[in-house]
């Protein structure tokens, strides 16, 4: 298995499952896949965070707002693995309740990953909402 194959298996398996858990109110699996080595950062569609304490608080806050995920897909647009670093650019299509109100949205998400002790870990995320300006 190549590094790219190994990374894609992780992206489509544990990473996807962690994002699904977050959208059902559980931040634990997502946090377990984020690096505990600084720097870590989120430039989010909702809020930003820098460093371990802010990341922990952000993920807990996001999880508390989400429930009842009915659909979640990650449309991978581009990715690469170079040594112990990787990145993804994806569209994340989600239907979930936010503070109890059903919502469907798409985020553009770019993430940066580091391989630490043989495991892929997320180090940075930038997400923003796709705005439909077609009409």
């Amino acid at each position: 298995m190549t590094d790219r194959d190994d990374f894609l298996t992780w992206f489509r398996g544990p990473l996807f499952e962690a994002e699904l858990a977050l959208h059902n109110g559980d931040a634990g699996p997502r946090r377990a896949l984020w690096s505990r080595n600084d720097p870590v950062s989120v430039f989010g569609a909702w809020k930003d965070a820098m460093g371990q304490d802010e990341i922990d608080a952000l993920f807990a806050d996001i999880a508390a707002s989400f429930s009842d995920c009915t659909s979640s897909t990650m449309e991978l647009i581009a990715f690469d693995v170079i040594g112990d670093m990787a990145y993804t650019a994806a569209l994340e299509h989600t239907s979930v309740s936010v503070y109890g109100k059903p919502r469907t949205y798409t985020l553009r998400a770019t993430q940066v990953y580091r391989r630490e002790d043989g495991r892929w870990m997320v180090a940075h995320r930038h997400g923003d909402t796709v705005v439909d300006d077609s009409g």
Side-chain angles (χ1 to χ4, degrees), residues 93-125:
H93 308 282
T94 307
S95 293
V96 66
S97 289
V98 180
Y99 295 116
K101 294 183 181 184
R103 209 171 143 211
T104 297
Y105 57 87
T106 298
L107 297 181
R108 287 181 293 213
T110 303
Q111 295 194 150
V112 176
Y113 311 86
R114 296 189 288 250
R115 190 168 17 210
E116 300 174 357
D117 298 321
R119 295 181 56 220
W120 286 110
M121 305 296 281
V122 185
H124 174 74
R125 174 181 175 83

Side-chain angles (χ1 to χ4, degrees), residues 38-113:
D38 285 322
V40 290
S41 52
V42 172
F43 297 148
W46 191 355
K47 297 178 182 180
D48 298 339
M50 307 290 180
Q52 302 299 325
D53 292 341
E54 288 185 16
I55 294 284
D56 286 341
L58 174 63
F59 293 170
D61 187 44
I62 291 171
S65 71
F66 286 148
S67 63
D68 304 317
C69 184
T70 59
S71 177
S72 178
T73 60
M74 294 169 73
E75 180 185 345
L76 190 59
I77 305 299
F79 83 100
D80 205 358
V81 176
I82 301 139
D84 288 334
M85 298 289 294
Y87 81 91
T88 56
L91 294 174
E92 299 174 350
H93 308 282
T94 307
S95 293
V96 66
S97 289
V98 180
Y99 295 116
K101 294 183 181 184
R103 209 171 143 211
T104 297
Y105 57 87
T106 298
L107 297 181
R108 287 181 293 213
T110 303
Q111 295 194 150
V112 176
Y113 311 86

Side-chain angles (χ1 to χ4, degrees), residues 9-32:
T9 297
W10 176 80
F11 178 85
R12 292 180 174 143
L15 183 68
F16 175 78
E17 293 299 321
E19 293 302 299
L20 188 57
L22 181 75
H23 287 95
N24 280 303
D26 182 4
R30 181 191 246 199
R31 189 59 181 110

